[in-house]
Amino acid sequence: MAKTKAPSIRDERAFHNFALVIMTLLALFCVVPFILMISVSFSSEAALVKGYKFIPMEFSLSAYKFLWLKRATILRAYGLTILVTVVGTAANLLLTSLFAYPLSRKDFKHRNLFAFILFFTCLFNGGMTASYIVWTQLFHIKNTVWAYLLPGSLMGAMNVLMVRNYYNANIPYAIIEAARIDGANDARIYTGIMLPLSKPVMTTIGLFAALGYWNNWTNGLYYITDSKLYTIQVYLKKLMDSIQFLKTSDLTNESAMLAMQSLPTESARMAIALIALLPILLVYPAIQGELIKGMVVGGVKG
């Protein structure tokens, strides 16, 4: 048989350079829209009529001044968003890990049944109308904080599978057997062994859950009508809709028309997006290492 030729240093260097170019382009595709968003948020509405530029043609703080006038409401919405994100993420991690733990145990005789239930939810659901009726008529979550916590984001089937795969691939079953011999029950094994050894994948799932809760505005659109219960995403969307409505309304008063035309529409839209995105940008670098490790290892089939 012919021997396989080992790749030369030149070939490896060429591949590394090619991969570097591809990754650089992908990074630019992610960074460039963000830079454009910042530029537009600091541009005047008159300049934006001529088009978007990466450097503001006419620097203006009108969008941020407009949002500053509503700072009390925005801060309240921020506080509620942080509360929902923290509580929802903690509940998501607890339920996801609790569901994944028995699925990873080979001695759990009902494992196949619960795995079937989990896979079934990936393929079928009752639809939006049925979900709305159940949540509002049976659980009565309308105009409560529970509307942000329960529907849709509390636990995901794919996250459960990722945590289960991590348990199978990275926590030897011999450790669990040894703990059993030493007299540890399931609660002790879960809290003393499984959770401490699953930090990377739990960090990954936690970030996914936190992003889901932070960016969720559809639950507020469906279940919240009380303005005092608006999260930052829901409030900013309502604010943007109000600005757009005023800009397109037929006003008879000339001064009112001039005031409405001076409202920052495009720049406010980008300023709103930047305000909502800023906390995620601050948190992500701190957990980036654990996130990558958890995604790589948790995605391996156990």
Side-chain angles (χ1 to χ4, degrees):
M1 296 179 61
K3 294 183 178 180
T4 303
K5 184 179 179 180
S8 64
I9 297 178
R10 184 177 179 179
D11 293 337
E12 291 184 359
R13 186 175 301 171
F15 174 77
H16 289 165
N17 292 336
F18 175 76
L20 180 61
V21 171
I22 297 299
M23 295 303 298
T24 302
L25 292 175
L26 292 176
L28 287 176
F29 287 146
C30 297
V31 173
V32 167
F34 181 72
I35 296 175
L36 185 61
M37 179 179 68
I38 297 175
S39 174
V40 173
S41 70
F42 287 104
S43 301
S44 66
E45 287 296 309
L48 293 176
V49 174
K50 303 175 183 178
Y52 291 177
K53 302 292 182 180
F54 288 102
I55 299 178
M57 293 183 294
E58 185 178 334
F59 185 83
S60 173
L61 294 175
S62 58
Y64 294 96
K65 290 178 180 178
F66 175 77
L67 296 179
W68 179 252
L69 296 176
K70 301 179 178 296
R71 59 188 180 276
T73 306
I74 291 177
L75 287 176
R76 184 179 65 223
Y78 251 121
L80 182 58
T81 305
I82 293 173
L83 174 64
V84 169
T85 301
V86 172
V87 175
T89 301
N92 186 292
L93 288 175
L94 179 63
L95 293 178
T96 300
S97 59
L98 283 175
F99 203 134
Y101 172 55
L103 292 181
S104 67
R105 292 286 300 270
K106 299 178 181 179
D107 56 346
F108 179 52
K109 62 180 180 179
H110 300 298
R111 184 172 65 163
N112 292 336
L113 173 61
F114 283 94
F116 170 77
I117 295 174
L118 184 71
F119 286 119
F120 188 87
T121 62
C122 293
L123 302 175
F124 304 100
N125 64 76
M128 189 62 240
T129 302
S131 297
Y132 181 83
I133 293 174
V134 169
W135 287 119
T136 57
Q137 303 300 321
L138 183 61
F139 293 100
H140 303 287
I141 66 170
K142 191 171 183 177
N143 283 329
T144 66
V145 178
W146 296 108
Y148 294 112
L149 294 171
L150 298 180
S153 302
L154 193 58
M155 186 178 68
M158 297 307 299
N159 291 346
V160 173
L161 295 177
M162 183 180 292
V163 177
R164 185 206 63 176
N165 291 346
Y166 185 92
Y167 287 163
N168 289 335
N170 295 273
I171 302 178
Y173 191 71
I175 296 180
I176 299 177
E177 292 180 332
R180 278 288 193 187
I181 294 174
D182 290 338
N185 56 19
D186 285 324
R188 178 59 180 167
I189 293 173
Y190 170 74
T191 58
I193 297 177
M194 308 304 289
L195 288 183
L197 294 179
S198 59
K199 181 181 176 182
V201 72
M202 296 300 286
T203 302
T204 304
I205 299 303
L207 179 62
F208 289 162
L211 286 174
Y213 279 110
W214 186 271
N215 293 324
N216 185 8
W217 58 271
T218 55
N219 283 6
L221 183 65
Y222 297 148
Y223 304 110
I224 302 296
T225 56
D226 186 356
S227 60
K228 294 182 180 180
L229 292 176
Y230 285 168
T231 60
I232 189 66
Q233 301 289 352
V234 177
Y235 172 73
L236 295 181
K237 185 185 184 304
K238 295 287 186 179
L239 180 63
M240 201 65 244
D241 291 343
S242 299
I243 294 175
Q244 192 63 33
F245 173 77
L246 292 174
K247 295 278 285 189
T248 57
S249 297
D250 293 330
L251 300 175
T252 56
N253 188 293
E254 184 176 354
S255 61
M257 291 178 61
L258 293 175
M260 292 305 102
Q261 290 175 359
S262 64
L263 283 176
T265 305
E266 296 301 323
S267 57
R269 192 194 308 272
M270 298 304 174
I272 287 170
L274 183 61
I275 289 175
L277 187 61
L278 189 59
I280 302 300
L281 295 177
L282 296 177
V283 172
Y284 178 78
I287 61 175
Q288 181 180 4
E290 295 292 340
L291 171 67
I292 295 175
K293 183 178 179 182
M295 292 183 65
V296 171
V297 181
V300 177
K301 182 178 179 180

